[in-house]
């Protein structure tokens, strides 16, 4: 089975890549740099070029999606738009264009802030919540399965973001990677796999 993995060079993407390769999949990696295929998921034309270059795949797995982290009082209108473009519109576009290229499943990334808010995380919360609502809605309209993985902070990311997530129990990133396997190999659709 051929899988297109977007964001494969990151903390989460690296673990998903490892797990999928261990399971014998042919994984094509994509990101802005350092992958098999260059893509910027905030640019619809770049997503189109990626799919045209890669061709038909059984599954699309997304481990990319950036949002600004700022106190609510410091957020500019543009920061909100950037967060929606970076994590919501980008992943919706992976599915929208992917309908023509992906035969089996889409697995998107959200995060714990959709259900457990933190200071400075307003845009992350709204982006994660929007992607989760989209996944439930898309699942009843498309023939491919569509799921999201919604993890808490990874043990591997505590050094970077640990102060923000005081009192949150981190999980090994591999647990989130396993949820991608569940989404790709399973039969469920419209599911949000909460990890931690
Ligand atoms: N880290 C955590 O503890 C944690 C917990 C819960 C949820 N999450 C979510 O998981 C996702 C990945 O987090 P991470 O910590 O693995 O991030 P990361 O280490 O920064 O990796 C991000 C990956 O996405 C790629 N990427 C970023 N922007 C892109 C774009 N516009 N187009 C294409 N590729 C892009 C990056 O490569 P290039 O920069 O080369 O493009 C990289 O491969 C995020 O949405 C995050 O909110 C993370």
């Amino acid at each position: 089975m051929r899988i297109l993995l977007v964001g494969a060079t990151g903390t989460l993407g690296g673990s998903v890549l490892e797990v999928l390769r261990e399971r014998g999949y042919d994984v094509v990696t994509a990101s802005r740099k350092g992958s098999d295929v260059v893509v910027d998921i905030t640019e619809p034309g770049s997503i189109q070029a990626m799919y045209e270059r890669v061709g038909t795949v059984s599954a699309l797995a997304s481990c990319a999606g950036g949002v600004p982290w700022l106190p609510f009082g410091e957020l500019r209108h543009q920061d909100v738009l950037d967060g929606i473009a970076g994590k919501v519109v980008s992943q919706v576009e992976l599915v929208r264009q992917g309908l023509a290229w992906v035969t089996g499943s889409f697995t998107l990334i959200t995060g714990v802030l959709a259900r457990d808010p933190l200071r400075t995380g307003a845009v992350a919360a709204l982006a994660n919540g929007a992607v989760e609502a989209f996944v439930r809605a898309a699942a009843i309209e498309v023939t491919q399965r569509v799921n999201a993985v919604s993890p808490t902070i990874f043990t591997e990311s505590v050094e970077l973001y640990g102060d923000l997530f005081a009192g949150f129990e981190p999980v090994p990133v591999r647990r989130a990677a396993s949820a991608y396997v569940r989404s790709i190999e399973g039969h469920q659709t419209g599911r949000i796999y909460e990890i931690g």
Side-chain angles (χ1 to χ4, degrees):
M1 192 195 279
R2 219 157 149 256
I3 298 178
L4 176 54
L5 174 59
V6 177
T9 59
T11 305
L12 174 61
S15 184
V16 172
L17 178 62
E18 185 179 86
V19 166
L20 293 179
R21 287 203 166 137
E22 281 169 10
R23 298 180 75 78
Y25 292 115
D26 175 10
V27 185
V28 181
T29 61
S31 59
R32 288 172 300 187
K33 50 189 185 310
S35 288
D36 300 329
V37 182
V38 175
V39 70
D40 181 345
I41 61 170
T42 64
E43 298 288 341
S46 181
I47 291 178
Q48 184 181 343
M50 172 188 72
Y51 277 127
E52 285 174 355
R53 170 140 183 235
V54 174
T56 301
V57 291
S58 303
L60 178 286
S62 169
C63 298
V67 293
W69 289 77
L70 285 167
F72 185 68
E74 292 175 25
L75 277 175
R76 298 165 305 143
H77 178 71
Q78 191 59 46
D79 295 318
V80 180
L81 294 179
D82 288 349
I84 292 169
K87 195 157 185 178
V88 184
V89 181
S90 55
Q91 294 197 92
V92 171
E93 195 61 16
L94 286 172
V95 176
R96 197 188 69 78
Q97 292 196 37
L99 295 180
W101 300 101
V102 178
T103 57
S105 68
F106 296 92
T107 309
L108 307 185
I109 183 66
T110 64
V112 69
L113 266 70
R115 55 189 178 280
D116 225 346
L118 283 176
R119 282 185 180 177
T120 72
V123 178
L126 82 85
N128 290 337
V131 174
E132 293 183 5
F134 165 72
V135 161
R136 293 188 192 96
I140 64 170
E141 280 208 61
V142 304
T143 51
Q144 296 91 337
R145 294 180 304 98
V146 189
N147 298 303
V149 177
S150 185
T152 191
I153 185 171
F154 306 135
T155 314
E156 292 78 358
S157 300
V158 165
E159 212 170 294
L160 278 175
Y161 314 115
D163 291 348
L164 272 176
F165 286 81
F168 283 62
E169 189 75 34
V171 296
V173 67
R174 214 177 146 94
R175 268 189 61 193
S178 295
Y180 280 76
V181 173
R182 188 173 170 194
S183 173
I184 291 165
E185 294 184 8
H187 301 97
Q188 299 176 341
T189 189
R191 292 295 308 272
I192 312 300
Y193 296 117
E194 295 182 3
I195 311 297

